[in-house]
Amino acid sequence: MVQTLLALAFVWPIPLFGRSGGERTNEAALQQLRMAFEAMDVAVVSDHPRCREPNLYGLYVRGSRQVVVCPRGDQSSTLRHEDWHAVQSLCLNNRRWLSRETIEQQLTRTDRAELQALVAPDRWWREAEARAIANMKVGDYLQELERACKPPGERPAV
């Protein structure tokens, strides 16, 4: 499977930051997530020049408080993923939040294959953690978000 995916990566672009365009967005979850992020002063935008890239589902604009969610695919999943990159930078000071074991449990088969084929080893944990977190149910995600963004003295040990 991985060998086939590697071969296809050079011929057929594989979306790295989203899912297939056939997945539907849970609108209620998307609105709930937007409100939570906007309460943290993180802007969620969908009109961005990079959204013209056909395989880009979203991005966190590093060094800012802006997350881009392109109007394709499962936007609530993309928002969870990209916002977690913001959390990694803004709340966690680029420290890991989930254990490798927890990440491995949360990743899908597709996530594992794409991570292996498309992500440099030095970026693996950031991307894998964002994918694992995005795979959580919205309520669980919001709990992790709240815990991760508490002031350091109030956070549980990781």
Side-chain angles (χ1 to χ4, degrees), residues 125-144:
W125 81 266
R126 285 182 65 82
E127 185 60 26
E129 184 176 84
R131 285 173 180 243
I133 288 278
N135 289 337
M136 292 180 172
K137 293 179 182 174
V138 173
D140 295 338
Y141 177 92
L142 291 171
Q143 286 178 344
E144 290 298 319

Side-chain angles (χ1 to χ4, degrees), residues 106-119:
Q106 293 287 343
L107 294 176
T108 66
R109 177 181 281 171
T110 300
D111 288 331
R112 284 188 191 89
E114 288 180 2
L115 286 164
Q116 183 176 2
L118 303 172
V119 177

Side-chain angles (χ1 to χ4, degrees), residues 85-154:
H85 285 309
V87 168
Q88 289 169 328
S89 292
L90 301 172
C91 299
L92 299 174
N93 200 27
N94 297 312
R95 288 187 304 272
R96 296 175 185 184
W97 181 249
L98 299 178
S99 69
R100 186 168 183 117
E101 178 181 283
T102 302
I103 290 171
E104 292 287 349
Q105 290 172 352
Q106 293 287 343
L107 294 176
T108 66
R109 177 181 281 171
T110 300
D111 288 331
R112 284 188 191 89
E114 288 180 2
L115 286 164
Q116 183 176 2
L118 303 172
V119 177
D122 63 323
R123 293 191 52 236
W124 185 91
W125 81 266
R126 285 182 65 82
E127 185 60 26
E129 184 176 84
R131 285 173 180 243
I133 288 278
N135 289 337
M136 292 180 172
K137 293 179 182 174
V138 173
D140 295 338
Y141 177 92
L142 291 171
Q143 286 178 344
E144 290 298 319
L145 175 70
E146 184 179 335
R147 288 177 51 226
C149 289
K150 284 184 178 182
E154 297 177 29

